[in-house]
Each structure stands twice: as structure tokens, then as C-alpha cells.
Amino acid sequence: MIPNLILPSTSFGHVITAMVTPFGVDGRLNIPLAMQLAEYLVTHGSDSLIICGTTGESPTLTLREQHQLFKAVRQAVGNQVNLLVGTGSNATAETIERTKEAAHLGADGALLVVPYYNKPPQDGLEAHFRAIAKEVPSLPLMLYNIPSRTGCSLAPETVGRLMDLTNIVSFKAASSSIEEISQLREACGERLAIYSGDDELTLPLLIVGAIGVVSVASHLAGRQINSMIKYFMAGDNTAALSIHEKLIPLFKGLFIVTNPIPVKAALELSGWFVGGPRLPLLSANKYIRESLSPILVTLRHS
């Protein structure tokens, strides 16, 4: 039996949903639906929400839209859960301004993706995150490593050097590497709250020291994912593994093509008409929808 893990005091809970951004048929923000979806997620297993992240299509949202979305979701969920905002970009000055604005609006944290496209070396990445943390010292920050999208990876030893900054409190690991978690714990100790950035790897990463997941699948199976993590934390590995195995088809189905194309289709098939993604992403085709339908039927009857 694996001993119970203690959550760092700076964590955002076990299940953080990276929320999709609903659009209407005209392509504009659907604010009322965003509020309804946020309320639903809070009552169905989410401990925190991230808006304007990758799943929320942040590259296609204007700053005005991001502010509108934050204010509406905050109004909908109040202080029931932590509300984080994706403020990262590949320009340090822009990221600082966006993060300052998030703090001003009342966000509980900011998600900072590794700068994309310009591929900075490790000392550049350290300087980038250090500058942001020092400019917005009151806001808890989650670093986000996803080399498949950014073109470079934030090394654990670089994160370790950032641990003198008390507002860097958590890390979203989306490199598909189990070894990364062990290296982060060695470099950073237990103060850093590490989250899986891949639903399918949540249970394996819990075993090596992660405390939860920044999830896409929690739009559809939030309660089950939350239960899986709590079973694991309580030492009931059999129950946790059973839930993990039942959810594997959903985890895989939601990433058969670029996120958030499949999750938006899955939500529509489940009665949430959140609209398709904005260009350059396209709505799910017939094949994707036909692949998701039986998975969702099984999920509803499980």
C-alpha cells in the first residue's frame, strides 16, 4: 500500500479543469453558456478552473474577451473554487502585463506556459519566469511545460533554481515523461505542487509524486477523476486503478486530434452546445464524432 500523500499548502486541489471557451454560431463568446458550464464543473468534481488556457483557445481570444470571460466565470462560481488564468506568451513583457491584469481582476493564480516558437535556452527560461514572478509577487504561479507545443522543454534543474521565488507554487507537467516528476521532486522538494498535464498519465504520475491533474476529461468525468485521485491518496489502489481503466477510452478519445477539437465535440454530443473551435482549428469531422459517441454512451452507463 502506498502511504497517503499530503497536499502542499499552495496547491489548487486535485482536479483542475482546463475549461473550454464556448462560442455561439456567430463565433462570438457565449458568456451565458460559459457561466453555466463553469457552475456545472464546480459541482461535478473540479477543485479549480483554468480559463484562457490551451483548451480555452487563448491564442484566438482578444484581451477584451479574456477579461469578459474571467469576470463572467468569477460571477458564476464566486469563491467556491480557485480560478486561474492562462497568461503566458512567448514575450516576457507581454506575459508580465497579462499576469498583472489577472491579479488586478482577482484571479487566484496564473498559468504560465513555456515560451513558444523562439526556443529560449534554460538560462533564458529562468530569466523569463523570474521576471514575471518578481513583477507580480502576490499571485501564485503555475509553470506549464508542454514541449510538443512550445518547441522546448523547461528542465527540472531550472525549476529548482526558481524555488527561491515563493509565488512559483505549482507545475503542470505535459511532457509525457514520468521521469520528469521524480526529477522535479528531487530538484524542488515537496513545496512544488506537481500536476499531470495528461489525463491518461494521472494515476502513474501520482505514484511518483504528482498531486493531481490539469484535466480535459473532467468536463465529462470530473467526479470519477476526483474519486480516482482520492482513492489513491487514501491508499485504495485497487479502486483507483479500476476507475483509471474505465476512463482510458475517454482519455484516448479526447486526444485523437488536436485539443480542444474532440472535447468540444464530446460536449456537444453530451448536450453542451459550446460551438466549434476558432480557426485555424476546425470542428470535429464525422469520423471523430463517430469515434467519440460509443465512448460517451459507455461512460453514461458506467
Side-chain angles (χ1 to χ4, degrees), residues 231-269:
Y231 277 129
F232 173 82
M233 295 293 184
D236 191 343
N237 304 322
T238 300
L241 181 59
S242 176
I243 295 173
H244 168 77
E245 290 175 339
K246 288 177 181 177
L247 292 178
I248 283 177
L250 177 67
F251 296 158
K252 290 185 176 296
L254 293 180
F255 286 88
I256 55 176
V257 71
T258 305
N259 177 50
I261 294 172
V263 69
K264 281 200 152 183
L267 282 166
E268 182 177 333
L269 291 168

Side-chain angles (χ1 to χ4, degrees), residues 21-36:
T21 299
F23 299 123
V25 293
D26 59 359
R28 296 181 181 180
L29 286 183
N30 187 334
I31 291 294
L33 187 56
M35 297 174 73
Q36 292 174 31

Side-chain angles (χ1 to χ4, degrees), residues 24-263:
V25 293
D26 59 359
R28 296 181 181 180
L29 286 183
N30 187 334
I31 291 294
L33 187 56
M35 297 174 73
Q36 292 174 31
L37 180 60
E39 289 182 285
Y40 173 84
L41 294 172
V42 168
T43 58
H44 287 75
S46 297
D47 299 315
S48 297
L49 303 177
I50 293 175
I51 62 167
C52 307
T54 306
T55 306
E57 301 178 70
S58 58
T60 70
L61 298 174
T62 67
L63 279 176
R64 182 173 179 272
E65 287 176 325
Q66 292 180 31
H67 295 167
Q68 284 182 291
L69 189 60
F70 175 84
K71 291 176 181 178
V73 172
R74 175 61 85 196
Q75 180 181 338
V77 304
N79 294 316
Q80 298 177 75
V81 295
N82 289 304
L83 186 57
L84 293 82
V85 182
T87 61
S89 78
N90 63 342
T92 304
E94 179 183 351
T95 302
I96 289 171
E97 289 306 309
R98 289 183 178 223
T99 307
K100 283 182 175 179
E101 184 64 23
H104 175 72
L105 290 172
D108 299 300
L111 177 71
L112 303 177
V113 69
V114 167
Y116 45 85
Y117 187 76
N118 42 25
K119 298 181 71 173
Q122 292 301 310
D123 54 355
L125 292 175
E126 180 182 352
H128 171 80
F129 290 118
R130 190 172 292 279
I132 300 160
K134 286 185 175 180
E135 287 287 335
V136 197
S138 63
L139 190 66
L141 305 176
M142 174 184 285
L143 307 186
Y144 177 16
N145 193 36
I146 182 164
S148 64
R149 284 186 183 258
T150 63
C152 65
S153 185
L154 180 61
E157 54 267 28
T158 305
V159 183
R161 292 195 296 272
L162 292 167
M163 285 295 94
D164 62 303
L165 299 161
T166 57
N167 56 331
I168 293 181
V169 301
S170 57
F171 188 96
K172 178 183 176 183
S175 67
S176 300
S177 169
I178 293 176
E179 184 182 11
E180 180 184 35
I181 308 304
S182 298
Q183 292 173 339
L184 282 167
R185 284 177 60 81
E186 181 179 359
C188 305
E190 294 185 357
R191 184 176 76 77
L192 187 70
I194 304 170
Y195 290 87
S196 171
D198 183 336
D199 279 298
E200 189 176 359
L201 288 180
T202 301
L203 187 57
L205 294 186
L206 290 174
I207 294 172
V208 293
I211 67 163
V213 59
V214 177
S215 177
V216 175
S218 54
H219 283 90
L220 302 149
R223 285 175 171 165
Q224 296 97 312
I225 294 169
N226 204 310
S227 293
M228 177 186 74
I229 296 171
K230 288 180 177 177
Y231 277 129
F232 173 82
M233 295 293 184
D236 191 343
N237 304 322
T238 300
L241 181 59
S242 176
I243 295 173
H244 168 77
E245 290 175 339
K246 288 177 181 177
L247 292 178
I248 283 177
L250 177 67
F251 296 158
K252 290 185 176 296
L254 293 180
F255 286 88
I256 55 176
V257 71
T258 305
N259 177 50
I261 294 172
V263 69

Side-chain angles (χ1 to χ4, degrees), residues 266-278:
L267 282 166
E268 182 177 333
L269 291 168
S270 301
W272 290 94
F273 297 98
V274 295
R278 283 178 171 173

